[in-house]
């Protein structure tokens, strides 16, 4: 992966690029995608990122890839020494945590499907809180009667939970193989099978 | 029974909201009332199912239905009010039980077995999501276990986000705008009905002008206010005549049920006005 | 300055401390003084800091001593490269966010209509900012007297907010369900007022 370079000028150019890449990633609290980095550093960004990742791997700060981008993060094994008092998840209700998991594993998923899986209606504020944390966002409307809105997770969700892609969700393949990621409502007449269709047609999409 | 009292209150408090719901758990034969938040009837069924201590794929739905129905029966015996969706589930399970126990009728879709399998699937799926949620939150999380650069430098290399506006900000703004428009300030329109006080005031003014028996209807204001106002005026004037009769200021006469009501000034009023009789 | 250590356990302990120090300095929002660091890491902090400083000296990120504390900073010589497109991120005013939301939901919409919906006059600058940013653009003129200009959102708007199409904007009902919009208190009472007039004029966009 790391190309041997011997030409002194080339070596210097490469070091310059690595330093710039390091500084760019360091300066930003949010992940940066390769496209953005390539625009600033050059087309060999993927190789440079791998080199940086290798350099930082044993250190207290690691270069991590999450969601759509790269960012420096403190090393995961230092968590016990750095851990801070829980604030976020204390405020999160059981309903919110379960709902987040359902959105993550079943996305894109409508509210009615979430309710069918949980067997209860989703109280107001559950999706609101998850959205406020930046973990979920509205996805495409489902092309079924009523055209219900779907919900999906964000890149920030991946970043927050240290996931490179959705495929890295814990046990996701096992669950899929077991058929448990089927979000269809299965029991008619059982709680939470609220109609997905909004009470009134969406007022603003006539064009 | 102090515990049940508390549970009862808690259930009542959360009724309609569906979550969290407080409900008792049946442990073996004994019904125990525990304060524990259940996220609806499916969640409670799952908790009951775990007590069978078998893999959820081999769970006895019939046994589960019995446990649930027993709980509902006990709960109602101690006059515990249950949220509606718990009762809906009870009815559904009672139906499922009958379908499982009685010989299947022809052309009945779906079969009792299918329904039981569907319920088992729902329980497994909910269980899987609960486990997934738990696993998700044991991961090293940003800002809790793993940290980003604490002092990011002011170098926004993604020009497109010069303005920090998220979709959430946008939707929140629109939501607040709608909220303001829909009812930020609650205007209660004055109720334009005739009150008894209005009628008393009005009839008192007319007292001198009704020396002889006249129907109450003839004293009513015109109909320009619409039918509702007319009806309220009728009711208010009737109440007002009763009030004035009690005070000895008018006399009332009715010849029979549902016949017109007559009203005239009491004697001393007429005396005062007409100079004696 | 850097003490020679040969005992493997001692080496490991030292590396552990260096990694923790690195992580603490990285994650802190403010420079950390040696006393604070010593409380977390140990009494040999001054020597460890020197070692870190030496390690980072040639890199794109340096460990710098500022005032009484230590912090990581991007290398000073990279400043011109980093600042190339520097833009301090700005918060959009509430009025601008609301105006953007109204254009998004009610487009095509004229300025007069925006003002009618918001109930306040819209300053010229608000639409300018939104247009400058590429979120809105002039649409067709309305074929009514005066032929007022309408405003619509752009593709960049969709891009920025991660929407595929305008139809994926959550409807008012979706917002209500998600808890972003509290429903108005319902007055149960007399159905018809005396004059049978509607309690309030029908909202203009509930069609």
């Amino acid at each position: 992966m790391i190309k041997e370079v011997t030409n002194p000028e080339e070596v210097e150019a490469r070091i310059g690029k690595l330093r710039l890449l390091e500084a760019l990633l360091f300066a930003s609290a949010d992940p940066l995608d390769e496209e953005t980095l390539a625009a600033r550093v050059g087309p060999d960004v993927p190789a440079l990122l791998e080199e940086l990742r290798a350099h930082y791997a044993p250190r207290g700060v690691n270069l991590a890839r999450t969601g759509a981008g790269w960012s420096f993060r403190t090393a995961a094994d230092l968590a016990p020494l750095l851990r801070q008092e829980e604030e976020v998840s204390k405020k999160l209700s059981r309903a919110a945590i379960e709902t987040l998991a359902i959105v993550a594993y079943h996305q894109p998923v409508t509210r009615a499907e979430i309710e069918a899986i949980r067997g209860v209606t989703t109280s107001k504020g559950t999706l609101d809180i998850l959205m406020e944390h930046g973990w979920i966002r509205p996805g495409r409307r489902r092309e079924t009667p009523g055209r219900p809105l779907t919900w999906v997770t964000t890149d920030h969700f991946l970043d927050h939970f240290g996931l490179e892609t959705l495929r890295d969700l814990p046990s996701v393949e096992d669950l899929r193989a077991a058929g448990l990621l089927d979000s269809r409502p299965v029991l008619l007449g059982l709680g939470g099978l609220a109609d997905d269709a909004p009470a009134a047609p969406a007022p603003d999409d006539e064009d | 029974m102090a515990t049940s009292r508390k549970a009862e209150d808690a259930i009542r408090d959360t009724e309609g909201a569906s979550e969290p719901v407080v409900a008792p758990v049946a442990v073996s034969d004994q019904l125990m009332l525990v304060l524990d938040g259940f996220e609806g009837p499916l969640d409670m069924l799952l908790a009951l199912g775990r007590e069978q201590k078998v893999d959820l794929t081999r769970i006895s739905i019939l046994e589960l239905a019995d446990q649930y129905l027993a709980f509902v029966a006990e709960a109602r015996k101690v006059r515990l009010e249950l949220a509606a969706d718990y009762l809906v589930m009870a009815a559904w399970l009672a139906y499922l039980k009958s379908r499982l126990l009685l010989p299947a009728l022809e052309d009945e879709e779906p079969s009792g077995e299918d329904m039981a399998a569907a319920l088992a699937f729902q329980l497994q799926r909910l269980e899987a999501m609960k486990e997934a949620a738990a696993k998700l939150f044991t991961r090293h999380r940003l800002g809790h276990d793993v940290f980003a650069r604490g002092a990011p430098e002011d170098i926004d290399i993604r020009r497109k986000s010069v303005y920090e506006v998220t979709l959430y900000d946008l939707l929140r703004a629109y939501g607040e705008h709608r909220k303001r428009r829909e009812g930020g300030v609650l205007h209660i329109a004055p109720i334009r009905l005739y009150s008894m006080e209005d009628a008393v005031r009005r009839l008192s003014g007319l007292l001198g002008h009704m020396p002889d028996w006249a129907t109450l209807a003839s004293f009513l204001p015109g109909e320009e206010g619409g039918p509702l106002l007319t009806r309220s005026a009728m009711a208010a004037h009737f109440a007002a005549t009763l009030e004035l009769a009690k005070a000895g200021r008018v006399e009332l006469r009715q010849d029979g049920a549902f016949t017109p009501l007559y009203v005239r000034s009491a004697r001393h009023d007429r005396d005062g006005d007409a100079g004696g009789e």
Side-chain angles (χ1 to χ4, degrees), chain A, chain B:
Chain A
M1 198 161 291
I2 298 166
K3 186 172 57 164
E4 278 303 314
V5 279
T6 41
N7 178 339
E9 273 174 38
E10 226 175 292
V11 172
E12 198 155 317
R14 191 176 174 82
I15 289 178
K17 283 178 173 182
L18 275 174
R19 291 182 74 232
L20 178 57
L21 195 57
E22 209 175 18
L24 286 170
L25 288 163
F26 220 85
S28 171
D30 298 317
L32 297 173
D33 60 41
E34 290 185 19
E35 202 176 290
T36 308
L37 291 168
R40 298 297 299 273
V41 181
D44 47 347
V45 153
L48 295 168
L49 283 169
E50 281 309 325
E51 190 170 338
L52 266 191
R53 165 136 81 173
H55 174 84
Y56 277 95
R59 305 199 66 92
V61 171
N62 301 155
L63 183 58
R65 174 183 205 141
T66 57
W70 293 78
S71 54
F72 276 116
R73 297 286 182 248
T74 56
D77 67 304
L78 294 174
L81 295 168
L82 297 176
R83 189 161 292 149
Q84 286 189 352
E85 276 315 302
E86 190 82 46
E87 277 185 30
V88 169
S89 68
K90 239 182 222 156
K91 278 186 273 173
L92 278 181
S93 65
R94 234 177 84 188
I97 290 173
E98 265 177 45
T99 302
L100 178 64
I102 291 169
V103 173
Y105 283 79
H106 290 261
Q107 62 189 301
V109 65
T110 68
R111 195 164 65 95
E113 287 164 350
I114 295 170
E115 295 182 348
I117 292 169
R118 298 190 59 234
V120 287
T121 47
T122 305
S123 68
K124 274 178 195 169
T126 304
L127 292 169
D128 177 22
I129 279 173
L130 297 177
M131 198 171 170
E132 191 172 7
H133 275 106
W135 291 333
I136 66 169
R137 64 176 179 84
R140 302 206 63 151
R141 288 184 182 277
R142 181 79 46 82
E143 292 304 334
T144 53
R147 300 183 57 247
L149 195 71
T150 63
W151 293 89
V152 296
T153 55
T154 60
D155 279 344
H156 179 67
F157 164 82
L158 294 175
D159 191 24
H160 185 89
F161 290 96
L163 299 161
E164 207 169 312
T165 71
L166 287 173
R167 286 192 299 278
D168 301 322
L169 281 170
S171 323
V172 69
E173 284 314 317
D174 295 343
L175 291 173
R176 180 165 295 123
L180 291 171
L181 297 189
D182 183 349
S183 49
R184 283 175 306 163
V186 286
L187 288 187
L188 291 175
L190 205 51
L193 296 188
D195 199 351
D196 248 325
D204 309 293
D205 50 6
E206 53 267 286
D207 38 308
Chain B
M1 200 163 162
T3 334
S4 81
R5 175 91 256 155
K6 261 157 91 184
E8 204 174 323
D9 290 347
I11 285 182
R12 191 172 299 121
D13 286 345
T14 56
E15 214 173 348
S18 283
E19 53 183 347
V21 157
V22 173
V25 187
V27 178
S28 59
D29 305 329
Q30 203 186 357
L31 182 84
M32 270 178 52
L33 292 169
V34 290
L35 274 169
D36 186 19
F38 278 115
E39 303 271 346
L42 202 60
D43 191 40
M44 194 178 129
L45 267 179
L46 186 59
L48 289 173
R50 286 200 194 103
E51 285 179 22
Q52 288 188 17
K53 294 195 174 60
V54 293
D55 190 309
L56 274 182
T57 53
R58 295 188 294 120
I59 198 167
S60 163
I61 293 293
L62 203 55
E63 193 180 323
L64 193 60
D66 280 338
Q67 277 178 290
Y68 187 92
L69 292 171
F71 151 66
V72 169
E74 282 298 311
R76 300 188 104 183
K77 207 182 287 172
V78 294
R79 295 195 302 136
L80 208 61
E81 285 173 32
L82 285 173
D85 42 354
Y86 283 80
L87 298 176
V88 169
M89 176 63 95
W92 190 87
L93 286 173
Y95 174 66
L96 172 61
K97 204 181 141 188
S98 72
R99 293 292 300 274
L100 288 172
L101 293 177
L102 297 173
L105 297 170
E106 277 175 34
D107 299 337
E108 235 178 351
E109 285 290 335
S111 72
E113 277 73 24
D114 288 346
M115 290 165 69
L119 178 58
F121 170 74
Q122 278 210 314
L123 292 175
Q124 285 167 41
R125 187 170 63 180
L126 181 59
E127 171 97 329
M129 282 303 106
K130 282 177 182 291
E131 279 170 5
K135 273 186 205 157
L136 201 53
F137 277 82
T138 54
R139 288 187 66 85
H140 289 310
R141 293 194 288 127
L142 186 64
H144 179 230
D145 308 286
V146 165
F147 297 87
R149 176 77 194 277
E153 292 167 43
D154 274 344
I155 303 163
D156 191 340
I157 71 167
R158 284 170 302 179
R159 274 203 89 235
K160 60 178 179 181
S161 54
V162 174
Y163 285 110
E164 285 176 28
V165 188
T166 64
L167 182 60
Y168 178 75
D169 296 332
L170 188 75
L171 299 182
R172 177 108 244 165
Y174 193 63
E176 274 167 12
H177 157 72
R178 295 289 300 215
K179 194 156 57 180
R180 269 202 313 279
R181 268 194 24 189
E182 284 193 4
V185 180
L186 187 62
H187 296 286
I188 301 177
I191 300 174
R192 288 169 51 195
L193 295 178
Y194 236 100
S195 71
M196 195 185 78
E197 286 73 21
D198 293 335
V200 168
R201 210 173 300 124
R202 189 163 177 279
L203 283 177
S204 301
L206 293 172
L207 273 180
H209 307 292
M210 43 176 161
D212 237 334
W213 291 112
T215 60
L216 178 60
S218 62
F219 294 110
L220 292 183
E223 291 206 359
E224 70 274 13
L228 184 64
L229 191 63
T230 306
R231 282 200 302 279
S232 75
M234 168 76 89
H237 280 77
F238 174 63
T241 53
L242 294 179
E243 194 62 30
L244 289 172
K246 204 171 106 190
R249 298 183 59 194
V250 297
E251 289 169 357
L252 295 174
R253 173 167 72 85
Q254 193 178 24
D255 299 332
F258 304 112
T259 57
L261 191 68
Y262 290 90
V263 62
R264 70 172 176 185
S265 305
R267 179 152 300 142
H268 58 91
D269 271 312
R270 271 178 284 148
D271 288 351
D273 214 51
E277 195 175 335

